[in-house]
Amino acid sequence: MKQPDATPRAPEGAAASEPGSLSRTEARLRLASTGPNRLPDNAPPPWRAALGQLWAPVPWMLEGAIVLQVALGQFPEAALVAVLLVFNAALGLFQQSRAHATLVALRSGLALTASVRRDGAWLKVPAVDVVPGDTVKLSLGAVVPADARLTAGGVLLDQSMLTGESVPIEAGPGVQTYAGALVRRGEAVAVVTSTGERTRFGRSAALIRDAHVVSSQQQAVLRVVSSLALFNGTVIVGMVLYAWHVDMAWVAIVPLVLTAVLASIPVALPATFTLAAALGARALARRGVLPTRLSAVDEAASMDILCVDKTGTLTLDALSVSTVFALPGFDEAQVLALGALASAEGGLDLVDAAVCKAAAAPPPVGPQASATRRTTFTPFDPATKMSQATFEATGGVPHRAIKGAPSTLFALVAPSAGASAAAAALEGRGLRVLAVASGAGHALELAGFIALSDPPRPDAADLVTQLRRLGVRTLMVTGDAPLTAATVARAVGLEGGLCPPGPIPATLMPESYGVFAGVLPEDKYRLVQALQKSGHIVGMCGDGANDAPALRQAQIGIAVSTATDVAKSAAGMVLTGPGLAGILAAIQEGRISFQRIQTYTLNSMTSKILQVTLLTLCLLVTGEAILTPLLMVIIMVTGDFLGMALTTDNVEPTPTPNAWRIGRLALAGVIIGLCSMAFCAVVLAFGSYRLGYDIDRLRTLAFVAIVFVKQATTYTNRERRSLWSSRPSRWLVASSAADIAIASTLAFAGIAMPALPIWLVAATLCSALGFAFVLDAVKVPLFRRLGIR
């Protein structure tokens, strides 16, 4: 990028109007008062961030399991849980680091040096030393170092990464510009109004730093843990009180309590959630979507609102000529040719580049000429709002070609009501309209109009339609003008009206509006917050730094493949290929992942209810604990192995957004868990009353019954319809086989427990298989009644 010279030349005509410069002393005083012109780095020390990941309800649960297993002497199992704890903490640290990475990327877009006037002389200084009141020079290729107001000269400013405007703006005296804007043409002088975090860039950085939303997955984990803790904790306290009431020895109460606590802790719950999201992320990567936060995979399943930026997301972010209107005496090709003559070559000006591209093979330029050799050219001047060229017409007669704002050219030609109406009609369609005139000397004649637009992506309309079918409402959120935004919205099929200008309300119903135009980065951020406060799971799709705060705040931020580094680092997902099909892939894979996690959660609830209630029932009947801590640890290990295999299961995504309904899942878990407990009670009654087993062999039988009935509940819970409606995954079947083989071998071989005859182990397995069909008859109407899908 070209940097200003150490002693830059003042723009023409600017000397008389240049404001006075600061002295070096005054600049140092202001720098001490306002601070350096940079974004603060408030990232916590790594050790504090690491400790924070270990101090929360779910880590407490895992830490408690480690302590209990060490107390029982189960050091390998304790080490396994410790690995899960460290893995979850590392994942949390990675997610936290994304916000810091966004700020780093944001800072990289700021200027490194600036040309300022100090003590009456132009100097090149580090951009961090710029202070409010400084006079700065803005030259071609430079990055605006701070928010500033132009006082002299004229420049073409590209502020798209800050404001979302699809077209660079012409800026002259009195125009406000912002830190990070790029000077594409011209030269100007400006006075700095804000620096550092007080700039618009800085406010965006503050929003990114502060943006935070608890994912629905995190909320689900906490609610599952709290529900299990409340139910199982109450039961355990009741067991202890009963044991104390019947004068059970403390040497027997302690193992009972440890067994009950181990039975109630879903040790693999966080790891299973992470594994399911990781597998979903892997599937998405194959479909052209790169998740940068695993939680975004799950959020895609629940997303019911998608806020979409216009420029570069719904549109191609490439100006093109969409309409050419020729007035009598000219045709469209001649209007384009005249416009190209009055356009700069080289492609730096996007408007001129679009006109030249449309007129790549110009015919004769008008009825007066057959040659198009340009002799002089005057580039666009913000003061006059036009550019012009002279060319030789037939016979060597010099003619002028002028291109500019319709209002400017209307003052140079004879009045025409038809021309004014044509220009107004084009502007009413949200197009950027240029007027073109030609003639010899001052005898100019209006040739017609060239209308430009940023066309929608070819797949944008189909995306909106498919999102609507999936139950996701699409809202356009853009910094562009309302008329332009409304035009694009109609083209892509967005529903809903245009939100009137003004502050974004604290709460907002999405059906109220479909288009939010003229919004600033903080407005996008507040819009996402307002929708979240209304109870919606919000996605945000964008491509620029102006979208970064909203991308960070949304439950699922999506950056398109052409997005800036700032947007990509703030987003939870990045589309790696062209087009928007990746959004649909994210929703589909997210809903698949959600179904797998929901099944595991229901299985976990069922299992914990089964184990704790069976312990309680057997304590009341026999006066002893039916399971030892060692048996409970084996059940945990084999059960978690099977449960985690559910993250690979074959499932169908739902046609509408998913939502965590923990209360309904808990109720289903209680009912299915109690049914499973009844099965185990029948098996134990058979072993006690028919076979006359003592308490030790009954414990082995209880172990076998619990392991086998978990197989039954796993296959009934995995399918919302009848259990034979879909085929389980190979990993799930293999895990089932391994689980059954391990439990059976331990039971009839008498390893870590008294041995059982092989026929009894086989009979218990067959009984569990038959119980699965009985339980399925209960489950189908239960799920239908509770709305579990």
Side-chain angles (χ1 to χ4, degrees), residues 649-652 715 718-729:
D649 197 16
N650 299 320
V651 298
E652 291 293 329
Y715 285 92
R718 67 169 290 273
E719 179 57 66
R720 308 299 175 252
R721 301 163 295 175
S722 299
L723 64 84
W724 56 82
S725 299
S726 63
R727 180 174 55 84
S729 69

Side-chain angles (χ1 to χ4, degrees), residues 295-455:
S295 61
V297 179
D298 303 306
E299 300 297 355
S302 304
M303 179 178 68
D304 60 340
I305 297 292
L306 179 63
C307 298
V308 184
D309 178 47
K310 179 186 74 70
T311 306
T313 304
L314 287 178
T315 67
L316 294 172
D317 194 17
L319 275 180
S320 63
V321 174
S322 62
T323 304
V324 179
F325 183 87
L327 291 169
F330 297 85
D331 58 32
E332 293 181 1
Q334 292 169 336
V335 173
L336 277 176
L338 287 168
L341 283 172
S343 298
E345 299 176 351
L348 290 178
D349 188 309
L350 298 182
V351 173
D352 286 359
V355 173
C356 290
K357 182 178 180 180
V365 299
Q368 312 100 320
S370 59
T372 58
R373 188 172 65 86
R374 188 166 68 182
T375 55
T376 65
F377 174 69
T378 304
F380 185 88
D381 185 348
T384 61
K385 296 185 178 179
M386 66 180 187
S387 61
Q388 59 180 311
T390 58
F391 61 93
E392 291 183 2
T394 303
V397 179
H399 277 67
R400 285 199 299 167
I402 302 178
K403 171 174 64 66
S407 58
T408 299
L409 268 65
F410 285 162
L412 302 178
V413 300
S416 170
S420 300
L426 291 172
E427 291 173 345
R429 291 164 49 191
L431 304 174
R432 178 165 183 171
V433 181
L434 301 173
V436 177
S438 179
H442 294 287
L444 296 174
E445 184 179 3
L446 197 63
F449 303 100
I450 299 174
L452 302 101
S453 67
D454 180 9

Side-chain angles (χ1 to χ4, degrees), residues 3 147 151 203 292 304 321 327 381 513-514 564 585 594 618 701:
Q3 298 293 337
D147 288 3
T151 59
R203 292 197 296 272
T292 61
D304 60 340
V321 174
L327 291 169
D381 185 348
Y513 307 105
T564 63
F594 180 93
C618 291
L701 187 57

Side-chain angles (χ1 to χ4, degrees), residues 15 28 36 105 167 187 275 332 445 453 686 720:
R28 283 196 298 270
V167 180
E187 195 171 72
L275 178 60
E332 293 181 1
E445 184 179 3
S453 67
F686 177 81
R720 308 299 175 252

